[in-house]
Structures are given as C-alpha cells and as structure tokens.
Amino acid sequence: MHIATDIGGTYTDFVIFRDGNIETFKVLSSEDAVRKGMNIVGGSKIFSHGTTIATNTIIERKGARVYLFVTKGFGDILEIQRQVRVSVYSLSARKVKHIVQSENVVEIDERMKFDGTPYKKLTKNECIRKARIPKDAESVAVVFLHSYKNDSHEKLMKECLKELGIEHISLSSEILPVYREYERASTTALDAYVKPIVTKYISKIRREINTKDFYIMLSSGGVADAENVMKKPINLVLSGPAGGLIASKYISSIIDEDNIITMDMGGTSTDIGIISCGKIIKTESWDISGLPIALPSIDIVTIGAGGGSIIWMDEGGALRVGPQSAGSMPGPACYPFEGKEFTVTDAILLKGILKDGAGLSDDIKLNKSKCERVLSKKIKIWGGDAEDYFDGGWHVVNSNMADAIKTQCSRHGIDPRNFSLLAFGGEGPVHACNVAMEVGIRRVIIPPYAGVFSALGIAMSPITLIDVRTLIGEINDVWEDVVETSENMIERMSERVEGLPIKEHIFSKHLGMRYRGQSFEIDIPMKASLEETVDEFMKRYEIMYSFRLEDWKIECVNIKIEYCGIREKIEIPKMKKMKKVIGLRDVIGIGKVHVYPNRACILCEEISGPVILQEKECTVFVPEGWSMNVRENGIIICEEIK
Amino acid sequence: MKAFELEIMKNRMISIPIEMGYALRRTSFSPNIKERMDASCAIFDCKGRMISCAEHIPVHLGSMPRVVEHVMKECTLEQGSQICMNAPYLGGTHLPDITLVKPIFFKKKFVGCVANRAHHADVGGKVPGSMPPECREIYEEGIIIPPTKIEEKGEVKREVLRLICSNSRTPWERFGDLASQIAANRIGEKRLIEFIERYGMEKYDEFVSEFFSYCKKMMKRYIDDMPRGTWEAEEKMEFEDVRIKVKIETGRKFHVGFSGTSPQLSRPLNAPRSVTESCVFFVLRCLTDPSIPVSSATFEDVKIDIPKGTILNPEKSYPVSAGNVETAQRVVDVILLALHKCMPERVPAQSQGTMNNISIGGLHNGEAFTYYETIGGGCGASYGKDGESALHTYMTNTMNTPIESLENYYPLTVLEYKIRRNSGGRGKWIGGDGIIRRIRIECQEAIVSVQSERRRYAPKGFHGGENGKMGENVVIINGVEKKMDGYFTIILNKDDEIVVNTPGGGGWGK
C-alpha cells in the first residue's frame, strides 16, 4: 500500500493506492491532520508527503534565530543584497529584509582566493573565540567567500561550533557549492532558518506514521527520503506545486502528449507550469517573498487570478480583475459570509455556468441573490448593465490567464499553440477551454482526481537528488578535473541512496558551458570524451542562437549531477460507466446547456459543446465549437472542432 | 467600447512588448541586456505615437518615441524592412544603445511600428565599452548610425550588419545581439498582426484612441491634484561647476523649463534631449501611480522646454556617453528639490545622486582587461519612511558584480563591501546609508578611473532633515592614503588600493 498526502491551507488530501485501486479523502488541515488520516487508513505502507512547512515558515517569518558567520569585510552581505530595487519606479523603495538580524552577524578573519588558495588562513583560535559569541543561536549559517572552491575553512568552523554544542549548522559549501556569494548566502541562511522547524516536524510525522519508507516532495520535482531532506530542508520550499506538475507529466505520458501547459487555478491565484518534450521546465534562480534561493526548482509563474479575485472599475474606465482577492474569508459575495466585493466566482454564478444553491462543502452553498445585491450596489457607482460586469469579468479573467500563458511561453521560446492545456485546481476546469481559445490552444485536458491532484503526483514522483559544483576554466584545461569531480559526485550520491527500495537508478551528468566572455552558461549533457562534449555544446548553441563560433575558447562553469530513482509504478485504474443523467441550465449569452453530474455517466462518449460537467470537486465548461471526450481512465479531453 | 473590451485589449497590447523583451533577453549576448535587461521594446501607431512600451531602464522612457519620429520622417517605410540607428541627436541616448524600428503592414496598409533598443557592450571608440571618461568629441565614443536599413524585403542586409560589427571590439557579440534584436521585432510584428486580425482594423483604431484617452485621464488626475504654483531650483555639478536650473509650473499642464542651465561641454557629461525628458517622466511616474500604462498620451499634459546648446540638449558633435549616468542623476535631484515644497509628503529627500562609476583596466598575463561597475548608495528619507541603504537610486538599477565572479576574471581582490553606517542624514525620518567598497590591485599596473558626484556638495535633506554624508574617493599607494576628487584617473601598482565610500541619502523633517 502506498499513501500520499498533500497539506494545503484548508484541507489535507490523502490518496491511497491499494491493489491497483485508488481511494481519496480529505481531512481539515491541522497539526494533527496526518495522524488523523493515518488512523483512518491503518496497515503497513509506503508514505509520500508534500508539505508547505518550509514555505510557510519563510513567508510568515517564523523560523529559527539564525547567526550568520561570514568572511571579514562582508558582514552586510544580506543587507546589501544585489543593491537593486524591485520596482524601478520608486524614489523610496525598501528591500525585503532578510531573515538574519544584523546584530546576529559574526565576521570571521579568514579569506580564500578565487583559486582556492588561502589569502588569509583561518586559525583554530579565531574559530573558537568567535564560536562562543552566539549564546542564543538556534541555528547557524556559515558563508565564506570562494568556499565552493575550497571548503576547509567552513569545515573547520563547523567543527568548532559543533564542539560548543550547536546542533543545526548549514554550510554554504554543502548547501550550494556554486559561485555568486549573495545567492549562496541567502540560500544557506534560509536553510538554517527552516532547519530546526523542519527537523522537528519530520520527526513528529515519522513517529505518527510508524514506517521507514517515508518520502517527502522537493521543489525540484522528485521526492527524497526523510534523512536526506533533513540535511538540506531548503529543498522543500516548492513542495506543493511540484506534485501537480509530476502528476501532469504522468497524465501526459499515458495520453502520448509531450507538450503541456499546466494551469492550476484556486481561490486566490493561478500557477502556470510548462512540460516541453516530456520534460518539466525548471529554473535555478527564483525567490520566495523576495529572498533568492538558487537551487533547481520547477519553474512556476503565479498570477493573481482566482475564483476570489475582485472585479472592479478603475478611474480610467477599464474593467479590472484582481490582483486583490476576497480570499476564502469573507470570500465571494455569493458565499454565506459578509463578502462585499464582486468576484470571479460571482460572475460565473450570474452567468449561469455555476448553479445557484450548489454546495462547495457542507458549510458553503452559493447564493445568487446575495451576489446580485452586491453587484447592483456597484452598478450604482459604475453605471451600465449587470451583464457588462459578469460577462465582462468572465472575459477579462480568461484573457488575463491567456496573456500570462503567452508571456511565460515566450520567456522559454515556446509557441503555445503546439501545446495542450491541462487544467486542475478547484477553478481551473471551468475556465480552461475559454483560456485555450484565447491562446490559440486547440486541446484541453482535465485529469481525474483533479481535487487531490498534487497528492497523486507526490506518490508518482521518482527519488531525485541534484548536486552542483562550480568549476570555472577553459574546457581543455579542466577536462580531467571535470571527469574526476563528476565521478566523485556520483559516488557520493550512490552512498546517499543506498538501501532505498529503488527499481532503477539513472544518473545524468550536465556541464554548464559558454563561450569565453559570456555571462550566461547553457546546460550541456556531458559526453564520454572532451571532443564529443565540445561538439554537443557547439550544436546546441547553434540551435539556440542560430550561429556557431569556430576557434573561440569554450569555458566550463559548473558540473551538475542529477539522480533519478524510479519507485514502484503507479497506474490510474479504469472507470466504471454509470447511468446517464442529464440536466438543463440557462447560461446567459449562450442559451440552454446540458449539464452532467459526473464524468462516469458519459464515459467513452463524445459530447459536443456547449455543455457543463458539474462534479463535486470541480466544474468543467465546454463552449460551443468544442467537443468533450471522457477516456476510460477518467481523463477528459476537450478539443476544438475543426 | 465596453469597459471589459478596453481592459482585454489593453492587457494584450501591454504584454506584446513584454514578450518581445523576453525574446531579446533569451538570445542576446551582452551582459547589459541579459543580466540587467538594459533594453526596451515598444509599439507605435501609424502616426508614430507610442501605444505601449516595456521599459526596464527609466532612461529609455522618453527617447523611443523620438527615434520613431525621426525614422518616419527620414525613411521610406516598406514591408519586410527594419531600420537601425543610435544617433543621440536623433532621439538616441548614447551610442551603445542601438534601436531597431520595424514598420508593420496589415493587408498592405501601414498600421504602425514595433521597435526595440538594447545596450551593446561595445560599439568602438577609444576605450572598451565605448564610454570613455576623457573625451572631447562624440567621434571618440564609437560608431554613429543614422537611420539605416538593416533589413529589406525580409532579408537581413549583411553589409550593414558587417559595417556595424566591424566597428566593435567584439564583432561576433554585436552580430548576436543585433540578430536577436531583429528577431524580437519580428515577434512584435507577428503579435501586432495577430491582434489586428483578432479584433479587426476598425476595432484596433477605436482601441488606440480609447486607450490614449484612458492613459491621459489616469495621469491627469494626479497633475490636477498638484498644488498650483511655480517651483524653481538650481544645483551645481562637481565637474567644472556645471549648473542645472529648473522651473516647474503646476496647473492644468505640468510645465518644466531648463533655462539658465550651463552650455554644452567638450566632455561626455552632455545629456541628449531625450535623456533629460526621460528624467522628467521618471520623476512623474514615481510621484504618481507607476502602474499607469506608458503611452505617448500618458505625458500629453507635460511640456518640457530645454534650450538648445545646453548640457541638457547638446548639438551634434558633443560627447554624451556619461550624460545618462551622472548628469541624469543630477537632473532628478534638481526636480525633487524644486518640487519638495509643492508636495512635501510625496517628494523624498535627495538620494545619493550619483552612480559612482569606477573602471579599472590594464594588462594581466598578457591579456587586456576592463572592469566597470557602478555602486549603490543611500536613498533619501520620505514622509513616514526612512531611506533604504546600499541601493541603486533614480535612473539606474543595475546589479552589482558578484565578488566571486569579479575575482575569477580580474586581477583584483575586494577587501571590503559593507554598509557605510551613519552616512544617511538624520531627521524625523533618516536617510539611507551608503556603501564602502575597497578593492586591491593584484597585477603589476592598472589604470583606475572614477566618475562620481556628491563629493563636494552633499545630498540634501528636506524640511529640516539633515544632509546625507558626502561620498569619498580614497587611494592607498604604498600604504599611504590619499583623498581624491569626484572625477579622476590614476595609475595604481600591485597591492595599492582604491576605496569608494558612497554618499548617504538626505533626512526628512526635524
């Protein structure tokens, strides 16, 4: 039996794989959620877990008291940052404050040169003297310049801190042995910040679930065992959205569709991700609430468009949607709370795609007359007809999401019209076809288990490890060093996964390479020989930039080893056909529309739009000119009719 | 036009130049474009009015429309062509900024242009990087390109490309950057045509005029709200005591005049007219709502007079490479000084008002190297808010060079990079602190050149707030400290050091 859980803001989702079947359930999120869920399941198991503990710790600034030990002369590194402001058009910009208080910075009299030789050697004496300073440290981050090249000073510092009884120590040479000191310092400090909290959390869950097979979802789109996670908890930060992308990748493989854009739309925002040629697009430079983390992570762009996004009229007379949101409390005007704002969900309800009185849960039933009252108050100020606002709002939010997809694609040089759109999350499926039309996408996929989709992906994730090391030099000169270093890295990685239940081990070696004088490197799969690797670089370069340079020096910048360990395969079972039930509903601007209560009743049938599928977890709206087809495993494919 | 249609078409129109920018950034070579996004993209209607632009560097704000204006005047506009130019007296900023304009046709009818501009790492001239601190004429700064066709009937004109590239120290890099600029414009063209196909020509025209009145309305509210009056200020620069004078009249229009400003110089501190206009637009955007879309109509109620032949509107042959560096910062300072009594609660005290340009060049192991960087400083305090420390301010926002990257490439060691504590002016709200950057020379000999301001006149505090501390440039030769001026060039030897202490921001209120 394999159990996967994903902890969200409101609910904790459970997915259980037992004898080829899938069961799902939700419990309200609380400190106790995992234990409660596990009590319901019982039995021995593999346990995979997605958690927002690291993310929330950082966002809410509730981490440990961190001391930063840093090379003398550079104590203000986290305060200076990259000396830029987030918004250019500001005369009184403020930076995001980093998580280390300035009085908790300790400068150490040491200095490495860029080539790894000491400029100023670190003495044991200096270490011991400075290690005594932090009396109240809960966690320590050590960041010395050029430690990616020579980590001996950081190691010595760690020894002394350990001797003095400090338990949680993050070394920059272990967390991110890559040049660029601010990003490395920020990542290391954040690791130290979440380490005590994550360690405590994992130990607690481990006691509750009582199993050795315990895996946790990482930002990079794989899982790792609890031991490896606790060594580098910063890897957890994008745990949640990563699950959704893995599940999308799985769906893409069973329907033979290599190119997918994912759209996960919830109450306050929408996450957009890309799978291109079967690979999830990743990034190595991202931040969490303004603080950079330079570790590989899935590339997700978030826009402020969700069911709770507020529809409003600006002073210039344009109808805007978001980025402000009514959230889940008070939520949209049609919720049974005191919502005074007109939101996207209200617009869809008035348009008739959602049903008056429909229940999202036992507590929340949509109330149409309530949102009519709110809108009529707004119209007194804005002027015009109700339809301008609910129909207009519906068009604006769809086109906002389409614009976000288009720009995200052009960042990666991708034409979205050759892609399919996979929509999940509570609000995604209702907008999907209309967003696709705006983008020029002709195919939409709605997966089964859309309400617990992340948890599904967490169970399917392979075990992954990534290790990066900086090694700068002309490729001819450093090739032997590159070969040796990469073998050492693989050896150390193999040790880390020893004893785990893995069906297949895959190691891949990549080099960051560039022509000398450039400031950006590109990732090249490392080949057996120097000549082949250089050839590969030239080839890929030409594809990207449409020309090659002969006789130009080529540099290596870093080595990256990716490990992927395949666990037990999981498959989505076939669905059983149910008796067909058809309802009818008036949708404004469209007319009478058929409504089905679940996908099982139209299994393996082709239905033409306009049509509404109203399930408990989500509503799918298929417009005119589109068809809907439910596959036997419950995957819905909507296509534009040619 | 319905409110929701305006919103949808406006958002699409705003995202087209953003998409162009991503394309440019992804494939370009120069670090300035790739890492710092020193580039801008824009769309123009058939009358040359800017509809939408994505400008990442404030100095491009005012100059893109001027370029298109000249291109439309001087060139025959043909389908499948692109025109490139960099001439500062025709709307450019300085020579490294090359702009490419592409006229767009829909069913054979001219419907507008797309354009993009990027900062190239080298366009020739007397020093690498094409921004020589010591030059007397523009001809020393690199190749001058008047509006010239670089693409015709869909084919790139190789000989033009070669002519430009051959004038650069890094020709292949220019080739790559120009190729990506050409490609970015093609993407812009595709998107604009898709836009017109989607909505139809009539709707496109209707949108453009509605959108212009939208932009004008959004900005007008703020201009109308400003207390009416005449506001004047004058400040000196530290190079030959150049004087910058401004007179602003608020009322139905926002009228800015620069009469009384010093004449142009045979030094690269001249700021072309479009740079000066950009400074005015920058301040207005900061003091109003920066989310108001920028089009030609946004600043329709802003009138700017700059007498010809002054340092803020130089004639053809005068050098301009540093005009958008130090001079532009001072123009912003003067405008803030003029307006601080008009809008006390909106206008912050003066920030560091310089970019602290430092360049170190020489020979190392037989290879020439040039390191160039600008250093952040203190931000002025404002009503209700302390100023931020160690930040790039006003017209620049470029990242620092990581020390670990710098030391890998240049024979230099950074000994200290810290906040210069207590350098911000005191007051009810305190100005931000500057930076200390100390660099040691590790090669036999290096030429160090610094261009910086606020070494003799401090950034001003407002409403009783104290001034920020002035910046200081110090060299340490054989262990002996020597204080230097704001502008200097000196030869240093191995183990000598240069220390730049950048100014603090002014305080606000007592």
Side-chain angles (χ1 to χ4, degrees), chain A residues 179-180 514-515 517-521, chain B residues 29-32 34-35:
Chain A
Y179 82 123
R180 291 191 181 111
R514 63 187 179 199
Y515 284 114
Q518 282 192 287
S519 52
F520 274 77
E521 58 273 7
Chain B
F29 276 67
S30 291
N32 268 321
K34 253 195 139 79
E35 269 191 83

Side-chain angles (χ1 to χ4, degrees), chain A residues 154-172:
Chain A
E154 284 194 359
K155 285 246 157 76
L156 183 62
M157 194 70 238
K158 183 178 180 174
E159 251 171 59
C160 292
L161 287 163
K162 267 237 147 88
E163 275 169 28
L164 287 168
I166 291 177
E167 185 187 351
H168 299 294
I169 304 161
S170 302
L171 295 191
S172 82

Side-chain angles (χ1 to χ4, degrees), chain B residues 236-384:
Chain B
K236 277 187 204 162
M237 288 184 69
E238 295 178 11
F239 195 85
E240 296 177 3
D241 280 343
V242 167
R243 198 177 297 271
I244 294 177
K245 204 171 165 187
V246 74
K247 181 167 149 192
I248 299 172
E249 285 164 69
T250 48
R252 294 173 63 85
K253 304 258 177 210
F254 187 82
H255 196 128
V256 187
F258 288 98
S259 302
T261 294
S262 295
Q264 57 207 8
L265 283 179
S266 291
R267 287 292 161 141
L269 284 176
N270 304 295
R273 184 191 167 91
S274 61
V275 169
T276 310
E277 287 171 337
S278 298
C279 294
V280 176
F281 297 153
F282 168 77
V283 173
L284 264 176
R285 282 200 86 182
C286 291
L287 295 181
T288 60
D289 174 3
S291 73
I292 298 173
V294 173
S295 71
S296 289
T298 311
F299 302 113
E300 212 177 278
D301 290 317
V302 180
K303 298 284 168 241
I304 304 170
D305 294 323
I306 317 167
K308 195 130 186 83
T310 61
I311 189 172
L312 300 182
N313 188 4
E315 283 156 33
K316 214 165 165 174
S317 60
Y318 285 84
V320 296
S321 63
N324 61 1
V325 187
E326 294 303 297
T327 313
Q329 296 292 71
R330 185 62 63 259
V331 173
V332 174
D333 269 342
V334 178
I335 297 173
L336 293 182
L337 182 60
L339 289 178
H340 85 282
K341 283 194 180 137
C342 167
M343 292 177 276
E345 293 181 6
R346 277 227 205 113
V347 177
Q350 288 181 341
S351 294
Q352 71 160 340
T354 171
M355 297 191 193
N356 307 292
N357 307 269
I358 173 166
S359 70
I360 305 179
L363 280 176
H364 183 53
N365 297 335
E367 262 186 67
F369 73 92
T370 319
Y371 155 72
Y372 168 77
E373 177 146 46
T374 58
I375 310 171
C379 221
S382 48
Y383 176 81

Side-chain angles (χ1 to χ4, degrees), chain A residues 83-94, chain B residues 25 35-40 54-61 278-279 281-287 289-291 294 329 332 348 351 355 379 391-399:
Chain A
Q83 72 181 27
V84 292
R85 52 195 193 273
V86 179
S87 56
V88 181
Y89 294 97
S90 171
L91 292 165
S92 46
R94 300 293 309 198
Chain B
R25 183 175 199 171
E35 269 191 83
R36 303 175 185 150
M37 206 55 204
D38 189 347
S40 298
E55 80 302 334
H56 306 274
I57 293 286
V59 77
H60 294 169
L61 262 180
S278 298
C279 294
F281 297 153
F282 168 77
V283 173
L284 264 176
R285 282 200 86 182
C286 291
L287 295 181
D289 174 3
S291 73
V294 173
Q329 296 292 71
V332 174
S351 294
M355 297 191 193
C379 221
L391 195 68
H392 258 315
T393 57
Y394 299 168
M395 302 298 281
T396 183
N397 197 30
T398 55
M399 286 192 181

Side-chain angles (χ1 to χ4, degrees), chain A residues 85 111 314 438 514 552, chain B residues 172 198 214 394 407 409:
Chain A
R85 52 195 193 273
R111 181 71 147 88
D314 74 15
E438 281 294 322
R514 63 187 179 199
W552 200 271
Chain B
W172 59 271
R198 169 90 161 76
Y214 172 87
Y394 299 168
E407 291 182 357
Y409 290 100

Side-chain angles (χ1 to χ4, degrees), chain B residues 38-321:
Chain B
D38 189 347
S40 298
C41 302
I43 305 175
F44 299 82
D45 76 347
C46 58
K47 291 178 188 137
R49 297 175 299 181
M50 188 165 77
I51 309 175
S52 148
C53 90
E55 80 302 334
H56 306 274
I57 293 286
V59 77
H60 294 169
L61 262 180
S63 58
M64 294 284 267
R66 293 238 169 248
V67 169
V68 172
E69 186 188 311
H70 285 288
V71 164
M72 285 179 65
K73 216 185 295 169
E74 292 186 22
C75 306
T76 43
L77 305 172
E78 289 166 330
Q79 187 148 17
S81 68
Q82 296 204 42
I83 297 125
C84 77
M85 67 89 77
N86 74 345
Y89 49 90
L90 297 179
T93 42
H94 56 172
L95 299 178
D97 278 343
I98 301 181
T99 307
L100 263 66
V101 180
K102 184 167 183 49
I104 311 290
F105 292 80
F106 181 73
K107 294 184 177 157
K108 298 197 174 147
K109 190 181 156 219
F110 174 66
V111 291
C113 296
V114 296
N116 74 77
R117 151 179 304 172
H119 184 127
H120 287 247
D122 187 282
V123 291
K126 65 192 270 194
V127 300
S130 315
M131 291 176 66
E134 322 249 337
C135 70
R136 308 193 64 81
E137 294 178 316
I138 195 168
Y139 309 104
E140 298 170 68
E141 296 179 325
I143 182 172
I144 301 172
I145 314 165
T148 307
K149 277 210 173 116
I150 195 167
E151 189 185 43
E152 205 165 33
K153 298 193 172 98
E155 296 279 328
V156 174
K157 293 179 83 173
R158 298 270 151 191
E159 66 275 17
V160 174
L161 206 56
R162 272 182 62 191
L163 175 67
I164 298 171
C165 295
S166 309
N167 277 281
S168 167
R169 288 174 183 83
T170 39
W172 59 271
E173 205 182 79
R174 289 301 64 67
F175 184 86
D177 284 344
L178 285 166
S180 74
Q181 282 191 273
I182 290 171
N185 269 354
R186 286 185 182 155
I187 286 188
E189 174 187 44
K190 224 167 136 187
R191 296 286 180 268
L192 183 61
I193 287 177
E194 279 168 13
F195 184 96
I196 299 173
E197 275 173 348
R198 169 90 161 76
Y199 297 102
M201 200 57 216
E202 219 170 284
K203 200 92 191 180
Y204 165 71
D205 286 337
E206 189 191 344
F207 162 73
V208 171
S209 78
E210 288 244 356
F211 181 59
F212 281 152
S213 62
Y214 172 87
C215 293
K216 190 178 167 180
K217 218 190 288 176
M218 291 293 272
M219 183 54 86
K220 185 142 187 53
R221 294 187 302 133
Y222 289 96
I223 292 178
D224 283 346
D225 278 354
M226 289 178 189
R228 298 192 174 192
T230 303
W231 319 90
E232 289 180 80
E234 179 183 328
E235 274 200 286
K236 277 187 204 162
M237 288 184 69
E238 295 178 11
F239 195 85
E240 296 177 3
D241 280 343
V242 167
R243 198 177 297 271
I244 294 177
K245 204 171 165 187
V246 74
K247 181 167 149 192
I248 299 172
E249 285 164 69
T250 48
R252 294 173 63 85
K253 304 258 177 210
F254 187 82
H255 196 128
V256 187
F258 288 98
S259 302
T261 294
S262 295
Q264 57 207 8
L265 283 179
S266 291
R267 287 292 161 141
L269 284 176
N270 304 295
R273 184 191 167 91
S274 61
V275 169
T276 310
E277 287 171 337
S278 298
C279 294
V280 176
F281 297 153
F282 168 77
V283 173
L284 264 176
R285 282 200 86 182
C286 291
L287 295 181
T288 60
D289 174 3
S291 73
I292 298 173
V294 173
S295 71
S296 289
T298 311
F299 302 113
E300 212 177 278
D301 290 317
V302 180
K303 298 284 168 241
I304 304 170
D305 294 323
I306 317 167
K308 195 130 186 83
T310 61
I311 189 172
L312 300 182
N313 188 4
E315 283 156 33
K316 214 165 165 174
S317 60
Y318 285 84
V320 296
S321 63

